[in-house]
Amino acid sequence: MRYSKEHKLETHARIVKKASVRLREKGAHGIGVADLMKDAGLTHGGFYAHFDSREALVIEAFAYAMDRSTDRWRQLAGQAAPDQRLATIVDSYLSPQHRDNPGHGCAVPALGAEIARESPKTRKVFAAKLDQMIEMMSEQFHGGPSKSARKQAMAALATMMGTIVLARAAGNGELSEELLSAGREAVLGRAAAPRPAASNPAASKAEAPKRGARKPTAKKAATKAVSPAKN
């Protein structure tokens, strides 16, 4: 039976969506093509009608998951007051719900270490999606130049994602909760910290001794120090 183009696109999207969940739950190498297709309600033989290789499916699956995370952050930010947007994203990310549901959470803590061992093509796609995450997060840091906001976003994401990795490894007990709390405090505390005052080049120039000016000799300095003040 020949299916319409729309049906094929819908089936393709269903495979990617199912695969993105299973890959985040089991890891990039924790589940085979046959199982992925079975989850999507299809046979193993139909796989190559949609993907050139297993790598192609993995790339689409984690890209889909990363796009979903970025979209969710944007949605959360849109529902919060400007000064609460970062906190809203951080609180949602560093939560017990996210920790306990890797299959529906951020792909980076779930797959990042494995993606680092994949092909250059896979890492390139991953890096592009990560850069989109950074750009979106940098929009939540106000009051500084774009380069500064980008650095803050990188530090925040690194802290958030690392915290989730450790919290999941620690289980769901007291230590895990402490890690989540510490991660939230680290990100939001850094964001709220006052920026150091910029130096004033004009003032620094005025305070600096003029180039070429002679320092008074010890004898002259002593004479000047003991000479009586003029009335």
Side-chain angles (χ1 to χ4, degrees):
M1 179 185 294
R2 293 180 61 85
Y3 293 100
S4 66
K5 183 177 180 180
E6 290 75 15
H7 181 273
K8 185 174 182 179
L9 290 174
E10 290 175 1
T11 302
H12 185 100
R14 186 169 77 251
I15 297 171
V16 171
K17 184 176 180 179
K18 291 285 187 179
S20 75
V21 175
R22 295 291 279 166
L23 288 171
R24 281 175 281 173
E25 289 177 342
K26 302 294 185 180
H29 299 284
I31 184 170
V33 169
D35 291 327
L36 289 173
M37 295 298 284
K38 183 178 179 181
D39 283 348
L42 301 166
T43 63
H44 187 187
F47 176 81
Y48 291 100
H50 295 277
F51 306 96
D52 294 333
S53 64
R54 187 181 188 282
E55 180 187 45
L57 172 57
V58 170
I59 289 174
E60 283 199 49
F62 78 69
Y64 169 85
M66 293 177 79
D67 284 341
R68 291 279 294 173
S69 291
T70 305
D71 290 343
R72 173 169 170 74
W73 297 346
R74 189 169 283 110
Q75 181 182 22
L76 289 171
Q79 296 172 348
D83 62 343
Q84 291 298 314
R85 288 173 182 169
L86 178 62
T88 300
I89 294 172
V90 173
D91 287 343
S92 175
Y93 194 95
L94 297 180
S95 65
Q97 291 76 19
H98 184 204
R99 176 198 63 197
D100 297 340
N101 292 279
H104 295 278
C106 180
V108 181
L111 297 171
E114 292 182 77
I115 297 299
R117 302 186 187 98
E118 295 292 333
S119 69
K121 178 182 177 181
T122 302
R123 296 199 304 271
K124 183 177 180 180
V125 176
F126 178 85
K129 291 298 181 181
L130 180 59
D131 193 61
Q132 291 176 7
M133 285 182 158
I134 292 168
E135 287 301 309
M136 187 277 156
M137 185 63 77
S138 69
E139 297 172 6
Q140 315 314 315
F141 292 88
H142 303 289
S146 58
K147 286 185 178 180
S148 175
R150 182 175 170 83
K151 287 183 178 180
Q152 286 181 289
M154 287 178 172
L157 287 175
T159 301
M160 291 161 61
M161 293 169 178
T163 297
I164 284 292
V165 171
L166 293 177
R168 285 175 177 166
N172 56 3
E174 183 177 351
L175 176 58
S176 183
E177 295 292 338
E178 288 178 338
L179 286 164
L180 292 174
S181 178
R184 288 191 294 268
E185 291 179 11
V187 175
L188 299 178
R190 187 186 300 117
R195 291 164 56 84
S199 60
N200 187 336
S204 300
K205 185 176 181 181
E207 293 173 1
K210 292 183 178 180
R211 184 175 297 177
R214 291 185 176 181
K215 294 182 179 180
T217 62
K219 183 176 181 180
K220 287 184 178 181
T223 304
K224 184 178 181 180
V226 298
S227 59
K230 293 182 179 179
N231 294 328

